[in-house]
Amino acid sequence: MIPRDKYDCTSWTGGNDIDTEGQFVWGHSITPFTFTNWEPYNPDDIYYQIKIRDCVDIFYDGQWNDRPCDFLANFICEK
Ligand SMILES: [Ca+2]
Ligand SMILES: [Ca+2]
């Protein structure tokens, strides 16, 4: 079953731009992104000044999104 809203079916990737807005890195290694698969309207932190969106999650369709880091979601671990 496909969720009505893909924003409700997501997992944390570990990517973030906490240190410098707009410069995304992988949290574990602090390595800059060399590949991205942003959802077309993301990252959209710049348009929402009320709550900072510095952590990157991935939708069930594989596209990425920036979201407030305190959102409760599943997460992906590197093996
Ligand atoms: Ca951000
Ligand atoms: Ca976003």
Side-chain angles (χ1 to χ4, degrees):
M1 177 179 146
I2 297 175
R4 283 178 296 175
D5 185 341
K6 66 180 181 179
Y7 281 75
D8 294 336
C9 185
T10 186
S11 296
W12 291 122
T13 64
N16 69 79
D17 69 338
I18 292 171
D19 285 345
T20 305
E21 179 59 32
Q23 293 186 22
F24 289 92
V25 297
W26 297 114
H28 178 69
S29 58
I30 317 298
T31 304
F33 286 6
T34 55
F35 167 85
T36 59
N37 191 34
W38 294 112
E39 194 269 341
Y41 298 102
N42 286 287
D44 61 353
D45 196 351
I46 192 171
Y47 305 112
Y48 296 92
Q49 303 295 321
I50 296 172
K51 187 153 190 178
I52 295 170
R53 301 173 180 207
D54 280 353
C55 288
V56 179
D57 57 307
I58 184 171
F59 299 132
Y60 66 82
D61 64 2
Q63 293 184 319
W64 300 4
N65 170 48
D66 60 335
R67 185 188 291 266
C69 299
D70 61 357
F71 181 79
L72 291 178
N74 296 315
F75 50 88
I76 298 169
C77 294
E78 180 181 3
K79 187 172 182 182

